[in-house]
Amino acid sequence: MSNLIADVKIPDSKLAKEAAELLREYGDELLWNHSNRVFLFGALQGTQNNVKYDPELLYISALFHDLGLTKHYSSPDKRFEVDGANAARDFLNSHGVPQESIRLVWDAIALHTTIGVAQYKEPEVALLYHGVGYDVMGENFDAISEELRHEIVTAFPRNDFKNRIIPAFFEGFKHKTETTFGNIKADVCAAMIPDFKRTNFCDCIHHSPWNE
């Protein structure tokens, strides 16, 4: 496959290739195609808006952003976003990447589902967030032309993505549904678990150990 898709060059450094190999090894076809589309959609939006960003860091962030859903990287008690961010941090540390770059990747992955925050951070963080939003929910859909969308989806097919991604999310954190408190993945639990009871922030206040 060409490493130039929709006028975006997919990074092919040794670091980028090793990160891609990890996703190939521990992810699946759904995550592979989704993660690559996320990079391409995020990169396109960056280019269109004249945003200066590091393509390699954005690419690695995209490759790792859902790896916390996999058995290999999933912890028993952390949000899957944090598991993916920690995995990326360990990977980059092992390759001697500068700490500021590691922090950007960690933030991008950890915040990629945090609506109302991620889009206001550094370019790599914001572009990953926008790439995810574009691929999963079609946010700002017309910002990318039909021709470019077609080229990306031809290279990395959706293959019934709408119907497959919610069960895939749930599979990644069904053993720790408490980690969805206060974030949008509680919606996934509500969709997949009959009579799912969300933790309520107001209840946490009222039932706190304070005696007043």
Side-chain angles (χ1 to χ4, degrees):
M1 178 181 294
S2 170
N3 70 337
L4 186 67
I5 297 172
D7 300 325
V8 176
K9 182 180 184 297
I10 296 180
D12 58 359
S13 65
K14 182 176 183 294
L15 188 69
K17 288 179 177 178
E18 288 189 21
E21 287 170 5
L22 288 177
L23 178 56
R24 281 290 200 191
E25 180 175 0
Y26 297 112
D28 58 15
E29 168 264 341
L30 180 73
L31 293 186
W32 172 256
N33 287 335
H34 167 56
S35 297
N36 278 278
R37 291 195 308 268
V38 163
F39 165 71
L40 291 164
F41 288 138
L44 272 176
Q45 292 181 72
T47 299
Q48 290 175 352
N49 293 308
N50 296 314
V51 174
K52 184 178 180 181
Y53 67 95
D54 186 316
E56 183 178 60
L57 295 184
L58 179 61
Y59 183 57
I60 290 171
S61 298
L63 293 175
F64 274 89
H65 88 278
D66 275 346
L67 270 179
L69 296 169
T70 67
K71 289 182 179 180
H72 183 78
Y73 289 109
S74 180
S75 71
D77 60 352
K78 296 180 183 66
R79 285 179 58 162
F80 86 90
E81 300 97 329
V82 172
D83 287 336
N86 287 345
R89 181 170 59 193
D90 290 344
F91 169 75
L92 295 172
N93 268 322
S94 72
H95 287 77
V97 172
Q99 289 302 307
E100 177 60 16
S101 295
I102 294 175
R103 183 191 66 78
L104 282 175
V105 171
W106 195 96
D107 283 357
I109 298 169
L111 295 174
H112 79 265
T113 61
T114 307
I115 297 170
V117 174
Q119 63 263 48
Y120 300 111
K121 287 183 63 64
E122 297 89 345
E124 294 78 10
V125 181
L127 291 177
L128 182 70
Y129 171 81
H130 289 309
V132 170
Y134 193 94
D135 196 51
V136 176
M137 298 181 291
E139 290 185 340
N140 300 312
F141 194 67
D142 292 333
I144 295 174
S145 71
E146 182 177 356
E147 179 184 1
L148 293 177
R149 284 198 306 267
H150 178 74
E151 189 173 344
I152 290 171
V153 172
T154 298
F156 299 103
R158 288 181 66 84
N159 293 337
D160 199 29
F161 181 79
K162 277 187 179 182
N163 291 315
R164 296 172 64 198
I165 191 58
I166 293 174
F169 283 144
F170 183 65
E171 187 65 26
F173 49 72
K174 66 182 181 181
H175 60 294
K176 50 179 180 179
T177 58
E178 70 282 356
T179 65
T180 67
F181 170 48
N183 69 78
I184 60 175
K185 290 304 186 284
D187 294 341
V188 173
C189 295
M192 299 296 293
I193 303 174
D195 302 318
F196 175 69
K197 183 172 175 56
R198 302 167 187 256
T199 302
N200 185 288
F201 174 59
C202 294
D203 288 343
C204 292
I205 296 173
H206 290 309
H207 298 153
S208 76
W210 292 102
N211 59 12
E212 76 269 46

